[in-house]
Amino acid sequence: MARLRVKFTFPPDLVREPIIWEIGRRFDLVTNIRRADITAEVAWATLEIDGEEEEIERGIKWVTEKGVRVDPVEDSIIEG
Amino acid sequence: MSFANALRCRECGREYPLSPNHVCEFCFGPLEVVYDYEAMAKKVSRKSIAQGPLSVWRYADFLPCEGEPVDLQAGFTPLIPAKNLGGLLGLKHLYLKNDCVNPTWSFKDRVVTVAATKAREFGFTTLACASTGNLANAVSAHAARAGLEAFVFVPSDLEAGKLLGSKIYGANLVAVDGSYDDVNRLCAELGDRYKWAFVNINIRPYYSEGSKTLGYEVAEQLGWRAPDHCVVPLASGSLYGKIWKGLQELTKLGLIDAVKTRMSGCQAAGCSPIVTAWENHTFNFRPVRPKTIAKSLAIGNPADGYYTLKIMAESNGAGAAVTDDEVVEGIRLLAETEGIFAETAGGVTVSGLRHLVQAGHVDPDEVVVAFITGAGFKTQEAVENALPAAIHVQPTIASFEQALAARQGESAPVTGAASS
């Protein structure tokens, strides 16, 4: 089993879709939201995802293809 | 002796012991070092600081380190009155904080000297980072100084000067084929897997404290007073927030009067999530995919973006975004008026300052400090095509005078000033 801590940022057109619920239905993954802010202008959630490493990769690929931006929970850790 | 006593989550306030940890286990918020300011106030004074070394370590009591510093003498860089540039922009009291003259030619030496010291204290033997160049250079040099191994990860399309500036110190330079986001994700994953001191991941709470020294120095160099206005380039937003924190701490310790400094920030238009949010009057920024020559500021999803916007609102500061052409103009303007050759971030700051003045966000009578964070020799590609060719002559007076006559009327300096 593996565990990934990530931040999902949703574009406005995806805010009404139950993406996090769906990732748990489509893939053998357990999601646990730790912090989120969903408004008309911005929508993000930090969450922990548990599952087999390959399953996590498949799930992340699926949400990315849906148009969700996936970042580490730290946001951009790359620095000048 | 350090007065740091815990790490605290900036979101939920939970506290953790001082350890190589950067994210709150509960809410995933970022951790920050907290200090015993009461005890610190009993020890520090203007006099005790003045007796310290001419480096960031004159403020050792304000930093979270116990051990012998890994020291290349970063910091205590010049604060230069900029009469030429100030006059051109209509500012009576403009100063430039010239951090180009640090050991690896950028302000990143300030944060890395603290991070490397802390990493060695924690017992790490490898120093690492994810970087767009300047940080990689600083990590490589400080690792060499400390006898630590270094792994630095950068996007593979970086400027040549920045790649060389890491390799020369014997670091393992890892050039990643992919976008900034790809490098970012890879390093976050590596940070979980390898027992390395990733200065901007697991050591980040300590590392970022090094930037506070810019605030301390500016106040000390102005004769123990805070500037009226700071103009800072924004990447992750960490530098901006720590300058503010540094000034606030000096007030808390009774070393300067209450801070009324306005904090303004500048970004390149090709990567301006913070400035765009400021323009839209929101604290929620939208992540972007960077597209700018100002690679050291090309952070599309800034870790401290929200906190930056809060300080901007609280301090009545402003934001400015500049085009890549204006970045080049800013570099040239700074060089031609004040003799300082800055990298692209400096061009962003100077052109951003010009925007802020034109928009009425800077009062001509304010004491303004613009932060020039890195030297231009690292990003020569940005300006090489914008500059006139050398005057090529044969070794005769006739050839020289002929060439000089041909040059007259050609590309004037960006200031428009006549040559003498």
Side-chain angles (χ1 to χ4, degrees), chain B residues 43-67:
Chain B
K43 185 170 177 208
V44 298
S45 64
R46 292 180 182 180
K47 193 175 165 195
S48 71
I49 293 166
Q51 287 167 347
L54 293 174
S55 75
V56 297
W57 294 103
R58 73 200 276 105
Y59 309 105
D61 289 328
F62 301 72
L63 298 172
C65 301
E66 302 279 357

mmCIF file of all heavy atoms in Angstrom, chain B residues 43-67:
data_model
loop_
_atom_site.group_PDB
_atom_site.id
_atom_site.type_symbol
_atom_site.label_atom_id
_atom_site.label_comp_id
_atom_site.label_asym_id
_atom_site.label_seq_id
_atom_site.Cartn_x
_atom_site.Cartn_y
_atom_site.Cartn_z
ATOM 1 N N LYS B 43 18.199 39.515 25.467
ATOM 2 C CA LYS B 43 19.579 39.337 25.018
ATOM 3 C C LYS B 43 19.992 40.306 23.898
ATOM 4 O O LYS B 43 21.114 40.787 23.883
ATOM 5 C CB LYS B 43 19.794 37.896 24.536
ATOM 6 C CG LYS B 43 21.247 37.658 24.176
ATOM 7 C CD LYS B 43 21.603 36.231 23.920
ATOM 8 C CE LYS B 43 23.069 36.150 23.487
ATOM 9 N NZ LYS B 43 23.319 34.995 22.638
ATOM 10 N N VAL B 44 19.085 40.553 22.969
ATOM 11 C CA VAL B 44 19.515 41.319 21.792
ATOM 12 C C VAL B 44 19.337 42.827 21.988
ATOM 13 O O VAL B 44 18.406 43.277 22.660
ATOM 14 C CB VAL B 44 18.769 40.882 20.506
ATOM 15 C CG1 VAL B 44 19.046 39.430 20.179
ATOM 16 C CG2 VAL B 44 17.285 41.136 20.616
ATOM 17 N N SER B 45 20.245 43.561 21.399
ATOM 18 C CA SER B 45 20.153 45.023 21.408
ATOM 19 C C SER B 45 20.824 45.512 20.124
ATOM 20 O O SER B 45 21.515 44.737 19.443
ATOM 21 C CB SER B 45 20.898 45.589 22.620
ATOM 22 O OG SER B 45 22.284 45.296 22.503
ATOM 23 N N ARG B 46 20.620 46.758 19.808
ATOM 24 C CA ARG B 46 21.303 47.316 18.626
ATOM 25 C C ARG B 46 22.814 47.152 18.776
ATOM 26 O O ARG B 46 23.508 46.859 17.812
ATOM 27 C CB ARG B 46 20.954 48.797 18.475
ATOM 28 C CG ARG B 46 19.497 49.047 18.112
ATOM 29 C CD ARG B 46 19.254 50.530 17.979
ATOM 30 N NE ARG B 46 17.853 50.816 17.684
ATOM 31 C CZ ARG B 46 17.366 52.046 17.520
ATOM 32 N NH1 ARG B 46 18.170 53.097 17.628
ATOM 33 N NH2 ARG B 46 16.097 52.232 17.256
ATOM 34 N N LYS B 47 23.302 47.332 20.008
ATOM 35 C CA LYS B 47 24.739 47.245 20.248
ATOM 36 C C LYS B 47 25.242 45.808 20.053
ATOM 37 O O LYS B 47 26.267 45.576 19.408
ATOM 38 C CB LYS B 47 25.036 47.711 21.676
ATOM 39 C CG LYS B 47 26.494 47.962 21.925
ATOM 40 C CD LYS B 47 26.707 48.525 23.320
ATOM 41 C CE LYS B 47 28.189 48.426 23.676
ATOM 42 N NZ LYS B 47 28.441 48.607 25.078
ATOM 43 N N SER B 48 24.479 44.841 20.586
ATOM 44 C CA SER B 48 24.951 43.450 20.464
ATOM 45 C C SER B 48 24.969 43.020 18.994
ATOM 46 O O SER B 48 25.856 42.286 18.555
ATOM 47 C CB SER B 48 24.064 42.498 21.288
ATOM 48 O OG SER B 48 22.791 42.360 20.700
ATOM 49 N N ILE B 49 24.008 43.527 18.225
ATOM 50 C CA ILE B 49 23.979 43.194 16.789
ATOM 51 C C ILE B 49 25.173 43.834 16.086
ATOM 52 O O ILE B 49 25.868 43.187 15.292
ATOM 53 C CB ILE B 49 22.646 43.659 16.154
ATOM 54 C CG1 ILE B 49 21.487 42.828 16.717
ATOM 55 C CG2 ILE B 49 22.698 43.557 14.631
ATOM 56 C CD1 ILE B 49 20.113 43.389 16.428
ATOM 57 N N ALA B 50 25.448 45.086 16.424
ATOM 58 C CA ALA B 50 26.550 45.804 15.763
ATOM 59 C C ALA B 50 27.897 45.131 16.012
ATOM 60 O O ALA B 50 28.826 45.278 15.216
ATOM 61 C CB ALA B 50 26.580 47.250 16.242
ATOM 62 N N GLN B 51 28.002 44.405 17.110
ATOM 63 C CA GLN B 51 29.265 43.718 17.417
ATOM 64 C C GLN B 51 29.421 42.399 16.660
ATOM 65 O O GLN B 51 30.478 41.771 16.719
ATOM 66 C CB GLN B 51 29.354 43.461 18.930
ATOM 67 C CG GLN B 51 29.633 44.742 19.717
ATOM 68 C CD GLN B 51 29.421 44.588 21.213
ATOM 69 O OE1 GLN B 51 28.837 43.604 21.669
ATOM 70 N NE2 GLN B 51 29.889 45.558 21.967
ATOM 71 N N GLY B 52 28.374 41.972 15.982
ATOM 72 C CA GLY B 52 28.407 40.692 15.275
ATOM 73 C C GLY B 52 29.152 40.783 13.952
ATOM 74 O O GLY B 52 29.577 41.866 13.532
ATOM 75 N N PRO B 53 29.324 39.632 13.278
ATOM 76 C CA PRO B 53 30.027 39.629 11.992
ATOM 77 C C PRO B 53 29.235 40.361 10.909
ATOM 78 O O PRO B 53 28.019 40.547 11.043
ATOM 79 C CB PRO B 53 30.145 38.135 11.664
ATOM 80 C CG PRO B 53 29.036 37.485 12.423
ATOM 81 C CD PRO B 53 28.825 38.301 13.664
ATOM 82 N N LEU B 54 29.932 40.753 9.842
ATOM 83 C CA LEU B 54 29.257 41.449 8.734
ATOM 84 C C LEU B 54 28.652 40.417 7.780
ATOM 85 O O LEU B 54 29.046 40.281 6.621
ATOM 86 C CB LEU B 54 30.245 42.365 8.005
ATOM 87 C CG LEU B 54 30.753 43.546 8.837
ATOM 88 C CD1 LEU B 54 31.838 44.309 8.086
ATOM 89 C CD2 LEU B 54 29.605 44.479 9.212
ATOM 90 N N SER B 55 27.700 39.678 8.292
ATOM 91 C CA SER B 55 27.000 38.656 7.506
ATOM 92 C C SER B 55 25.641 38.430 8.165
ATOM 93 O O SER B 55 25.330 39.063 9.183
ATOM 94 C CB SER B 55 27.797 37.342 7.499
ATOM 95 O OG SER B 55 27.669 36.698 8.762
ATOM 96 N N VAL B 56 24.857 37.509 7.609
ATOM 97 C CA VAL B 56 23.547 37.224 8.224
ATOM 98 C C VAL B 56 23.715 36.757 9.666
ATOM 99 O O VAL B 56 22.789 36.877 10.472
ATOM 100 C CB VAL B 56 22.750 36.149 7.450
ATOM 101 C CG1 VAL B 56 22.422 36.624 6.050
ATOM 102 C CG2 VAL B 56 23.465 34.820 7.411
ATOM 103 N N TRP B 57 24.896 36.251 9.996
ATOM 104 C CA TRP B 57 25.093 35.679 11.335
ATOM 105 C C TRP B 57 25.249 36.730 12.418
ATOM 106 O O TRP B 57 25.334 36.387 13.592
ATOM 107 C CB TRP B 57 26.246 34.667 11.308
ATOM 108 C CG TRP B 57 25.844 33.497 10.450
ATOM 109 C CD1 TRP B 57 26.247 33.239 9.174
ATOM 110 C CD2 TRP B 57 24.883 32.485 10.776
ATOM 111 N NE1 TRP B 57 25.599 32.121 8.681
ATOM 112 C CE2 TRP B 57 24.761 31.643 9.652
ATOM 113 C CE3 TRP B 57 24.099 32.216 11.897
ATOM 114 C CZ2 TRP B 57 23.898 30.542 9.611
ATOM 115 C CZ3 TRP B 57 23.241 31.124 11.880
ATOM 116 C CH2 TRP B 57 23.148 30.305 10.738
ATOM 117 N N ARG B 58 25.244 38.027 12.036
ATOM 118 C CA ARG B 58 25.153 39.055 13.078
ATOM 119 C C ARG B 58 23.758 38.992 13.732
ATOM 120 O O ARG B 58 23.552 39.551 14.804
ATOM 121 C CB ARG B 58 25.457 40.450 12.513
ATOM 122 C CG ARG B 58 24.397 41.042 11.646
ATOM 123 C CD ARG B 58 24.913 42.152 10.759
ATOM 124 N NE ARG B 58 24.983 43.465 11.365
ATOM 125 C CZ ARG B 58 26.114 44.059 11.767
ATOM 126 N NH1 ARG B 58 27.264 43.434 11.665
ATOM 127 N NH2 ARG B 58 26.100 45.280 12.238
ATOM 128 N N TYR B 59 22.822 38.337 13.056
ATOM 129 C CA TYR B 59 21.459 38.166 13.592
ATOM 130 C C TYR B 59 21.229 36.724 14.052
ATOM 131 O O TYR B 59 20.103 36.228 14.010
ATOM 132 C CB TYR B 59 20.421 38.553 12.535
ATOM 133 C CG TYR B 59 20.667 39.905 11.923
ATOM 134 C CD1 TYR B 59 21.185 40.019 10.635
ATOM 135 C CD2 TYR B 59 20.421 41.079 12.630
ATOM 136 C CE1 TYR B 59 21.444 41.249 10.067
ATOM 137 C CE2 TYR B 59 20.676 42.324 12.074
ATOM 138 C CZ TYR B 59 21.187 42.404 10.797
ATOM 139 O OH TYR B 59 21.442 43.624 10.242
ATOM 140 N N ALA B 60 22.293 36.062 14.484
ATOM 141 C CA ALA B 60 22.181 34.640 14.854
ATOM 142 C C ALA B 60 21.107 34.403 15.914
ATOM 143 O O ALA B 60 20.422 33.371 15.897
ATOM 144 C CB ALA B 60 23.533 34.125 15.361
ATOM 145 N N ASP B 61 20.916 35.348 16.811
ATOM 146 C CA ASP B 61 19.918 35.170 17.880
ATOM 147 C C ASP B 61 18.494 35.127 17.330
ATOM 148 O O ASP B 61 17.578 34.679 18.018
ATOM 149 C CB ASP B 61 20.022 36.303 18.904
ATOM 150 C CG ASP B 61 21.290 36.180 19.741
ATOM 151 O OD1 ASP B 61 21.730 35.035 19.986
ATOM 152 O OD2 ASP B 61 21.846 37.222 20.136
ATOM 153 N N PHE B 62 18.299 35.623 16.118
ATOM 154 C CA PHE B 62 16.958 35.662 15.506
ATOM 155 C C PHE B 62 16.709 34.425 14.631
ATOM 156 O O PHE B 62 15.660 34.310 14.015
ATOM 157 C CB PHE B 62 16.816 36.881 14.597
ATOM 158 C CG PHE B 62 17.015 38.205 15.258
ATOM 159 C CD1 PHE B 62 18.273 38.629 15.666
ATOM 160 C CD2 PHE B 62 15.945 39.058 15.456
ATOM 161 C CE1 PHE B 62 18.461 39.868 16.264
ATOM 162 C CE2 PHE B 62 16.114 40.299 16.053
ATOM 163 C CZ PHE B 62 17.376 40.701 16.459
ATOM 164 N N LEU B 63 17.705 33.564 14.542
ATOM 165 C CA LEU B 63 17.619 32.432 13.608
ATOM 166 C C LEU B 63 17.499 31.107 14.382
ATOM 167 O O LEU B 63 17.905 31.032 15.541
ATOM 168 C CB LEU B 63 18.852 32.422 12.691
ATOM 169 C CG LEU B 63 18.986 33.668 11.798
ATOM 170 C CD1 LEU B 63 20.327 33.685 11.074
ATOM 171 C CD2 LEU B 63 17.832 33.745 10.797
ATOM 172 N N PRO B 64 16.976 30.064 13.716
ATOM 173 C CA PRO B 64 16.646 28.833 14.448
ATOM 174 C C PRO B 64 17.787 27.818 14.518
ATOM 175 O O PRO B 64 17.540 26.624 14.451
ATOM 176 C CB PRO B 64 15.474 28.281 13.631
ATOM 177 C CG PRO B 64 15.767 28.699 12.236
ATOM 178 C CD PRO B 64 16.471 30.019 12.327
ATOM 179 N N CYS B 65 19.035 28.268 14.623
ATOM 180 C CA CYS B 65 20.180 27.348 14.572
ATOM 181 C C CYS B 65 20.959 27.354 15.884
ATOM 182 O O CYS B 65 21.089 28.392 16.535
ATOM 183 C CB CYS B 65 21.126 27.739 13.437
ATOM 184 S SG CYS B 65 20.333 27.729 11.822
ATOM 185 N N GLU B 66 21.499 26.185 16.205
ATOM 186 C CA GLU B 66 22.325 26.043 17.406
ATOM 187 C C GLU B 66 23.794 25.839 17.042
ATOM 188 O O GLU B 66 24.689 26.265 17.750
ATOM 189 C CB GLU B 66 21.886 24.823 18.234
ATOM 190 C CG GLU B 66 20.435 24.851 18.689
ATOM 191 C CD GLU B 66 20.228 25.703 19.926
ATOM 192 O OE1 GLU B 66 21.217 26.220 20.465
ATOM 193 O OE2 GLU B 66 19.073 25.853 20.331
ATOM 194 N N GLY B 67 24.024 25.125 15.941
ATOM 195 C CA GLY B 67 25.383 24.672 15.619
ATOM 196 C C GLY B 67 26.258 25.752 15.007
ATOM 197 O O GLY B 67 25.815 26.875 14.751
#
